[in-house]
Amino acid sequence: MSPHTTSPLRPLGGADPDRAHWLELPGHRTSVGAARRFVGARLTSWRVPDDACANAVLLVSELATNAVLHTVSLRILCGIGLLPDDRLRLEVHDRDGSGRRLPRRAPGPDDEGGRGLLLVREIADSWGVARSALTGGNAVWANLATG
């Protein structure tokens, strides 16, 4: 299946519907790159500064990677919104209805993985996890200032 842009399902966190976009992707590792390209292209069209764009692309990469590696989702939903206060809202929704919580990791110095949410915590202004009203799975979100 190829990724496709979906019509806005609902505005992200109160964002203007013209400033919120969604992309539905297969739950495969290759979809992480598509999510990065989607966010980068959208932010370029919104003329978001390069440093904020780079941080947003990294954030969505980490959120999408967690969704495809740590859930049984066949599809994920990536959303990006430009909020009225010049912040970005990034969301990745999975379809894992098992109710499992995000795994807590304490990676060792030689571990190659396990640092995704640590990066999210350091880069994002705020982030969190909730049940998704759109997919029934997890919705992991991050907010990031653009200025």
Side-chain angles (χ1 to χ4, degrees), residues 59 62 66 105-107 113-124 127:
L59 287 171
E62 295 301 332
N66 280 348
R105 300 280 312 258
R115 293 177 181 80
L117 291 179
L118 295 173
L119 285 171
V120 170
R121 185 180 71 202
E122 291 301 314
I123 295 170
W127 74 280

Side-chain angles (χ1 to χ4, degrees), residues 13-37:
D16 178 338
D18 292 331
R19 295 170 60 152
H21 296 273
W22 293 93
L23 179 69
E24 186 174 17
L25 297 163
H28 301 139
R29 289 178 185 217
T30 57
S31 293
V32 175
R36 283 192 301 263
R37 289 186 296 277

Side-chain angles (χ1 to χ4, degrees), residues 5 18 21 37-48 80:
T5 301
D18 292 331
H21 296 273
R37 289 186 296 277
F38 164 70
V39 167
R42 182 58 53 197
L43 295 179
T44 297
S45 74
W46 287 338
R47 297 186 178 157
V48 170
I80 183 168

